[in-house]
Amino acid sequence: MDILQAIVLGIVQGITEFLPVSSSGHLVLVPSLLGWPRFGLGFDVMLHVGTLFAIAIYFWKDIVRLAKALFSRGPGCAGDRRLAWLIIAATVPSMIIALALEPFVGGVEMRPVEQQIVISAWGLLGTAVLLGGSEVFVRLYSAKSGDAGADDAASKGGSPGKGLGAGDASDVGAESLSWEKALMVGLAQGVAALPGVSRAGSTIAAGQAVGMRRDEAGRFSFLLSIPIVLAATAKHCLDIIVGKDVLPSAGVIIAGVATTTAVGYLAIRLLLPFIKKHSLWWFVAYTAMVGVVLLLVYHGAF
């Protein structure tokens, strides 16, 4: 691998990790389209370190505040303390599922690239289903809430309420989630260990489905990624030490991580305002289209 390839893959990782379109699927697809060899899970994890840096830079105030709240008993930081514990709790099922899926994910890495692409294509279609399902759920919930509001207002002699509006299932912030709902988002993050399934997509979809606004679900998704990316990085560093994984040169790693960090930071800045005003259907269309095209092109891989 050379530095140019690392920069290109860093751009791909920085964009696709934070947009709900699956970074793992694109890190398999892009090298194949460019005629490059697959660079392995170890380098992918190093690129995830870049996305971790991007999250840390963008959310550094939130991270510091949440860390302080964990060790404070003051009533003024009760919301932050609860959010910090919700993130910790949601990380547990994520790690359990990711560890359970590790043999399968490792097995996929050993397959021919064409088969990896087909598996990732199915994951992209799964991402489309998750994103689309959450949008449909929110719309149905909003319509039902709007009808209920109208009926309630009519029964009291008032004017019908305007409901919650399409795409806004609730005004629930992340710190107001129940423990059960936070664990559901954590489960969705664990499932995203599957090739082609977007971590951001699955967690934003799950967050929206359990009642969070899209932008709040996005914020919770990014903060929730910090512990599991740290754990995955630590594990693969150990694999490298014991000789189970290999990495390219230091210069290539630095180029990839730096590019991922810069592009990832910009992606977060663009995504959160976007999903606050727009639905996830744009990403549904993209992931479904790419998944279908890949299956048509590589249908004979198995």
Side-chain angles (χ1 to χ4, degrees), residues 15-23 48 51-52 54-56 58-59 62-63 66 83 86-88 90-91 94 127 131 172-175 177 181-182 184-190 192 197-210 212-230 268 271-272 275 280:
I15 294 173
T16 59
E17 174 65 21
F18 297 114
L19 301 187
V21 296
S22 174
S23 62
H48 277 81
T51 61
L52 183 61
I55 294 170
Y58 188 88
F59 290 105
D62 299 76
I63 294 169
L66 292 173
L83 177 56
L86 286 171
I87 290 171
I88 292 172
T91 300
S94 296
T127 297
L131 294 173
V172 174
E175 66 278 355
L177 280 180
K181 291 179 177 179
M184 289 175 64
V185 180
L187 288 171
Q189 178 170 255
V197 179
S198 167
R199 193 207 61 79
S202 62
T203 50
I204 292 173
Q208 189 173 227
V210 300
M212 282 192 282
R213 299 188 309 270
R214 267 193 229 99
D215 56 323
E216 278 291 319
R219 174 172 171 261
F220 187 66
S221 168
F222 295 144
L223 292 173
L224 182 60
S225 71
I226 295 173
I228 199 163
V229 172
L230 280 172
I268 298 173
L271 178 67
L272 290 179
I275 62 176
L280 300 175

Side-chain angles (χ1 to χ4, degrees), residues 27-277:
L27 287 176
V28 173
L29 175 61
V30 171
S32 177
L33 292 176
L34 295 176
W36 299 344
R38 181 79 171 97
F39 301 114
L41 196 57
F43 183 69
D44 289 359
V45 171
M46 291 298 103
L47 292 182
H48 277 81
V49 172
T51 61
L52 183 61
F53 288 161
I55 294 170
I57 294 169
Y58 188 88
F59 290 105
W60 72 270
K61 290 182 180 179
D62 299 76
I63 294 169
V64 171
R65 191 174 66 250
L66 292 173
K68 288 181 178 178
L70 274 176
F71 303 100
S72 173
R73 292 290 178 263
C77 56
D80 288 332
R81 184 166 57 249
R82 177 177 173 79
L83 177 56
W85 281 111
L86 286 171
I87 290 171
I88 292 172
T91 300
V92 174
S94 296
M95 290 188 174
I96 292 173
I97 294 176
L99 287 172
L101 292 174
E102 186 176 16
F104 173 76
V105 175
V108 171
E109 284 287 320
M110 302 302 294
R111 289 176 176 268
V113 173
E114 292 78 9
Q115 293 185 11
Q116 293 184 42
I117 290 175
V118 171
I119 294 170
S120 295
W122 284 111
L124 286 166
L125 291 177
T127 297
V129 170
L130 289 172
L131 294 173
S134 73
E135 286 293 318
V136 170
F137 175 82
V138 167
R139 189 170 293 274
L140 292 174
Y141 181 93
S142 299
K144 181 179 179 181
S145 298
D147 291 342
D151 293 342
D152 184 59
S155 68
K156 295 179 181 179
S159 58
K162 65 179 180 178
L164 292 167
D168 238 352
S170 166
D171 285 331
V172 174
E175 66 278 355
S176 301
L177 280 180
S178 68
W179 294 100
E180 293 82 1
K181 291 179 177 179
L183 291 175
M184 289 175 64
V185 180
L187 288 171
Q189 178 170 255
V191 171
L194 291 169
V197 179
S198 167
R199 193 207 61 79
S202 62
T203 50
I204 292 173
Q208 189 173 227
V210 300
M212 282 192 282
R213 299 188 309 270
R214 267 193 229 99
D215 56 323
E216 278 291 319
R219 174 172 171 261
F220 187 66
S221 168
F222 295 144
L223 292 173
L224 182 60
S225 71
I226 295 173
I228 199 163
V229 172
L230 280 172
T233 303
K235 180 188 180 302
H236 282 282
C237 286
L238 181 61
D239 288 342
I240 292 166
I241 291 172
V242 300
K244 291 183 179 180
D245 221 335
V246 294
L247 290 174
S249 67
V252 168
I253 292 175
I254 291 171
V257 171
T259 303
T260 302
T261 301
V263 175
Y265 177 84
L266 292 175
I268 298 173
R269 285 191 64 113
L270 293 173
L271 178 67
L272 290 179
F274 181 87
I275 62 176
K276 187 174 184 177
K277 297 179 180 179

